[in-house]
Amino acid sequence: MPYRSILVHVSSSHDLEQRVKVAARLASRDHATVIGLAVTGISRFLSGLPGEPGSALLSPTPPADGGHHDKLRQEMTMALERFEVLAQEYGVKTRQGLLVDDDAATALSNYGNAADLIILGRKELTHVEKKEESDFVEYVTLNAETPVFTVNQKPFLWKHALIAWNSSGAAARAARNAVPILQDMGQVSVVIFGSGAAPGSALTASEHDLKECLSSLPKNVTVIHRPAVDNIGQALLTLVDEIDADLLVMGCVAHPRWRGALLGGTTGVVLANAAISLFMSR
């Protein structure tokens, strides 16, 4: 199914243009609404913004409640103005800007549930000095019902997507959810390591199931078989370099752990080390 609503995380990061550019291409084809969400980092319980707790349209001016809060809101208002300029420049016809008082991970997880795709940036992933920021992308992926596209260091050129396939439901959902993006990719490959059994499962990955997931994709898909390895994450990144992929599609499995311990396993390795764009779904 096409994306009807795309949520873009708006920040002062230099890669905001890349996020808007990806959203604009998808929106122009599927007539989607692009929503720019700027988050101040101010607790929503302290918010003075009108409307629903922690949120406002771009137009209202929030009341002054201290220099620090004013500065944060002013910075995000300027980021939303830049989003508006970029969206117009790239031809986004239907768009909306939202200013939210909350922490970014929580706000994007909550607001993202009303969208079909969330687009994040690499900058929010690399603040490794703060754990609550270093697990930002994984937190949103595991807590939102919506798939997440992360713009990373290398330019996204729509040339080659690699799908990580195993017997998990998360891998199947990721493949299905990525179809609107895969339609515009120059080439699509799928990799299966060993039997393709998901962690904790003895089921073998089925190429028939893969074809069913990608049945609406009007292009040939190359299936790559590789031996089983202990470190799937590193093996994926090695293959990405080998085939010169610029997008990695993978499922992300939620674990009953507190927020500060989300990173780990295949997902953690990929998030910490990938230089290309990522599409993840749980």
Side-chain angles (χ1 to χ4, degrees):
M1 294 181 62
Y3 303 137
R4 297 302 184 189
S5 177
I6 301 171
L7 184 71
V8 176
H9 181 206
V10 173
S11 70
S12 55
S13 172
H14 69 276
D15 67 9
L16 177 59
E17 182 172 1
Q18 294 187 63
R19 307 176 205 180
V20 174
K21 190 175 181 179
V22 171
R25 177 160 178 170
L26 294 170
S28 64
R29 186 190 63 207
D30 297 327
H31 308 290
T33 298
V34 177
I35 303 168
L37 180 67
V39 191
T40 64
I42 303 168
S43 171
R44 63 186 182 276
F45 301 109
L46 300 176
S47 174
L49 295 178
E52 295 184 4
S55 69
L57 292 175
L58 177 58
S59 54
T61 302
D65 59 354
H68 180 60
H69 287 186
D70 285 346
K71 183 177 180 181
L72 291 173
R73 289 181 178 132
Q74 182 180 17
E75 180 182 351
M76 288 302 98
T77 298
M78 291 175 63
L80 273 174
E81 291 171 352
R82 181 172 176 239
F83 161 79
E84 175 67 22
V85 170
L86 289 170
Q88 186 173 5
E89 179 182 337
Y90 283 107
V92 178
K93 294 183 178 179
T94 307
R95 54 190 182 271
Q96 182 181 13
L98 293 175
L99 179 64
V100 175
D101 276 349
D102 206 347
D103 72 273
T106 301
L108 284 156
S109 299
N110 293 337
Y111 281 81
N113 289 332
D116 296 316
L117 180 68
I118 301 172
I119 300 180
L120 307 178
R122 174 73 183 187
K123 182 177 184 296
E124 282 71 28
L125 176 62
T126 56
H127 293 169
V128 294
E129 70 275 9
K130 294 183 179 181
K131 180 62 178 176
E132 67 271 20
E133 291 179 339
S134 68
D135 69 12
F136 174 84
V137 174
E138 187 173 5
Y139 181 87
V140 176
T141 304
L142 294 181
N143 287 275
E145 298 294 331
T146 308
V148 172
F149 183 102
T150 304
V151 173
N152 272 16
Q153 295 168 342
K154 292 184 178 180
F156 182 54
L157 303 177
W158 302 84
K159 60 179 181 178
H160 195 170
L162 175 65
I163 302 172
W165 183 254
N166 60 22
S167 61
S168 70
R173 286 187 291 274
R176 285 196 301 270
N177 290 336
V179 166
I181 294 175
L182 298 177
Q183 288 177 356
D184 279 7
M185 300 298 298
Q187 185 176 352
V188 179
S189 297
V190 180
V191 61
I192 301 174
F193 290 97
S195 69
S201 171
L203 295 176
T204 300
S206 166
E207 290 192 27
H208 174 75
D209 291 343
L210 169 64
K211 292 178 181 179
E212 287 294 316
C213 287
L214 299 178
S215 60
S216 59
L217 182 64
K219 62 178 57 186
N220 294 326
V221 175
T222 301
V223 180
I224 302 170
H225 289 272
R226 289 293 169 93
V229 293
D230 292 330
N231 192 332
I232 296 291
Q234 189 55 56
L236 280 171
L237 296 178
T238 299
L239 182 57
V240 160
D241 290 339
E242 181 181 324
I243 66 174
D244 196 23
D246 57 345
L247 176 67
L248 176 59
V249 177
M250 62 185 294
C252 191
V253 180
H255 299 286
R257 297 182 288 176
W258 59 91
R259 177 173 172 179
L262 284 172
L263 284 176
T266 299
T267 305
V269 170
V270 170
L271 284 175
N273 298 285
I276 65 167
S277 295
L278 305 174
F279 183 100
M280 296 181 292
S281 186
R282 69 176 180 86

